[in-house]
Amino acid sequence: MRATIQHRIGGVLGGGIILAQFIVARQIGAAPFLGMLVTAGVVTSILLDHFGWIGFERHPATIWRIFGGLLMIGGVALVAML
């Protein structure tokens, strides 16, 4: 087995997401949970692109990308409150 540390961390995090889905999604509902999961992915991708972390090509976080991330956060907040 030649798994790098990134593979091992990814496996642990993937298992953590599944565990969170079983525990948290039942408490807050499927829509807010999945909305938060997708929004977290988008916000993280904006940061990865902007700073060029883990080998990504740098793409600046323009006002439109930031605005899109904020809209997603607002959308999840609306889904969770209603």
Side-chain angles (χ1 to χ4, degrees):
M1 294 179 68
R2 294 185 180 203
T4 65
I5 189 70
Q6 290 92 348
H7 292 117
R8 294 171 196 251
I9 291 171
V12 170
L13 291 176
I17 289 173
I18 299 300
L19 184 62
Q21 185 176 1
F22 286 134
I23 296 170
V24 177
R26 289 183 182 202
Q27 295 175 357
I28 66 171
F33 178 78
L34 291 175
M36 285 188 284
L37 192 65
V38 171
T39 301
V42 169
V43 171
T44 302
S45 68
I46 292 170
L47 291 172
L48 289 173
D49 280 348
H50 180 73
F51 293 108
W53 290 335
I54 62 172
F56 281 96
E57 185 177 331
R58 294 184 83 174
H59 295 96
T62 64
I63 190 70
W64 295 111
R65 286 180 180 218
I66 295 168
F67 183 64
L70 291 173
L71 280 176
M72 291 190 71
I73 292 168
V76 170
L78 285 175
V79 168
M81 289 190 313
L82 300 178

